[in-house]
Amino acid sequence: MPRSVSEGFDVFLSRLVPPSSQREAAAKHRSRVESSLSNALDIHLFREIGSSFSHGTGVRDHCDVDLLVSIKGERPNSSDTALGWVKSALQASFLYTEVVIRRPTVVVKFAQGMETWEILPGFIASRGSQNLPTYDIPGAAGGWMDTAPTAHLAYVNEVNNLPGIAGGAKRLARLAKAWKYYNKVPASSFYLEMRAARYMSTQSSFIPVWDVCGFFEHLHSIHLAAMNDPKGIAGRFSAYSTPAGGTEALSKLANAASRARRALDAHNNGDAATAFHNLDLLFGGRFPSR
């Protein structure tokens, strides 16, 4: 018997969950990354800041782990200096692995890029609190900006646990990241996750075919605008790091919004075949067959 659109999303979401083997490999790499940085720099702590297996929004075969490394001492005047420190430490340990600066992080690509670590140097700022610390981190285009990773993680969890949402914020974030990976969209995973949580905070329930359409149409209507910190603790964060990346992301977002709308309209008209076809286009040929 053919699947319904709802069943198609259930199958797709189950396929997106990273297997235990990838989680174990990521844990081993985290230990090696932390040892590499601790041997070269005076470290206060390491903190995963989203886009991770442990946060419940990772995508199978496309592990993006964001790791903030809190460095002791005074912050250098130039964020380029801090990025250089991190890159040099990692290159010394991973001689045969690609290590590049891609603002605002240093990117380490394990397994030919199937597992990507984005290392973010940070310095504790005086603006936060003990429970919700704020860090100065490199800005996307230069200089420094602030972030509050503990508060951001708490916000996503808060929305995800709202009555009626029942895990929908993280499931929508996972779908948004799948769209990004399968279509090679140069957009920030963190941005997509935070926007997904913000979008779901305005909904009373999570219905994938409806909310995927609403989410992409919303992002298209605001042109991937920078987002204010929903907790009001840190500054704004951007969807992309370069103007060229923004142009490409917006072009692919326009296609996504159009395909999601065609899928929803077909679903509402009882045309499951057309809905599945457009969802498959939306997710780069990875959506389950009917």
Side-chain angles (χ1 to χ4, degrees):
M1 184 175 181
R3 293 185 178 113
S4 67
V5 169
S6 177
E7 289 169 338
F9 271 106
D10 288 342
V11 171
F12 188 46
L13 281 162
S14 69
R15 290 177 181 175
L16 293 178
V17 177
S20 59
S21 59
Q22 291 182 10
R23 292 194 293 269
E24 291 165 2
K28 291 178 181 177
H29 284 141
R30 172 166 179 162
S31 177
R32 294 177 62 197
V33 166
E34 290 185 0
S35 294
S36 171
L37 293 169
S38 295
N39 290 336
L41 301 169
D42 193 6
I43 303 300
H44 177 65
L45 59 78
F46 296 95
R47 185 188 300 276
E48 286 190 26
I49 55 173
S51 307
S52 67
F53 287 128
S54 61
H55 191 35
T57 60
V59 173
R60 184 187 187 103
D61 295 333
H62 291 272
C63 168
D64 275 4
V65 183
D66 295 340
L67 186 69
L68 184 142
V69 49
S70 175
I71 303 173
K72 293 181 180 179
E74 291 188 14
R75 189 197 76 186
N77 290 330
S78 172
S79 56
D80 290 332
T81 300
L83 289 166
W85 291 345
V86 171
K87 180 184 178 184
S88 295
L90 294 169
Q91 280 185 321
S93 298
F94 303 107
L95 299 177
Y96 304 106
T97 300
E98 183 178 1
V99 180
V100 296
I101 293 176
R102 189 170 298 148
R103 276 188 166 274
T105 66
V106 177
V107 178
V108 187
K109 295 184 177 182
F110 295 108
Q112 289 75 51
M114 291 178 63
E115 182 184 332
T116 301
W117 283 73
E118 299 187 359
I119 315 300
L120 185 67
F123 296 81
I124 294 178
S126 60
R127 297 178 296 280
S129 65
Q130 185 174 358
N131 294 328
L132 297 174
T134 302
Y135 298 87
D136 288 330
I137 62 171
W144 295 94
M145 61 175 287
D146 52 5
T147 188
T150 304
H152 297 155
L153 176 60
Y155 175 73
V156 176
N157 287 332
E158 175 186 311
V159 175
N160 199 56
N161 293 328
L162 287 173
I165 301 303
K170 291 188 177 183
R171 281 185 282 172
L172 181 60
R174 183 168 268 155
L175 290 168
K177 292 178 187 180
W179 164 73
K180 165 192 167 169
Y181 298 136
Y182 296 153
N183 294 282
K184 296 182 170 56
V185 182
S188 162
S189 294
F190 173 71
Y191 176 90
L192 291 174
E193 182 167 317
M194 296 301 292
R195 279 291 185 192
R198 171 68 69 80
Y199 174 84
M200 288 309 303
S201 73
T202 68
Q203 307 301 306
S204 59
S205 63
F206 175 64
I207 303 173
V209 68
W210 280 89
D211 290 313
V212 163
C213 179
F215 179 64
F216 283 122
E217 287 187 336
H218 172 66
L219 292 185
H220 185 242
S221 71
I222 63 172
H223 305 291
L224 289 176
M227 181 177 174
N228 291 328
D229 177 8
K231 304 298 283 187
I233 297 173
R236 290 162 64 82
F237 37 87
S238 300
Y240 44 84
S241 58
T242 66
T247 299
E248 182 180 353
L250 285 167
S251 175
K252 292 182 175 180
L253 177 60
N255 288 334
S258 177
R259 289 164 176 168
R261 170 52 60 182
R262 289 198 296 269
L264 178 57
D265 287 347
H267 169 69
N268 289 338
N269 291 327
D271 185 357
T274 298
F276 269 82
H277 173 69
N278 281 284
L279 289 169
D280 195 47
L281 291 175
L282 174 63
F283 291 107
R286 305 295 186 93
F287 199 77
S289 61
R290 192 174 174 222

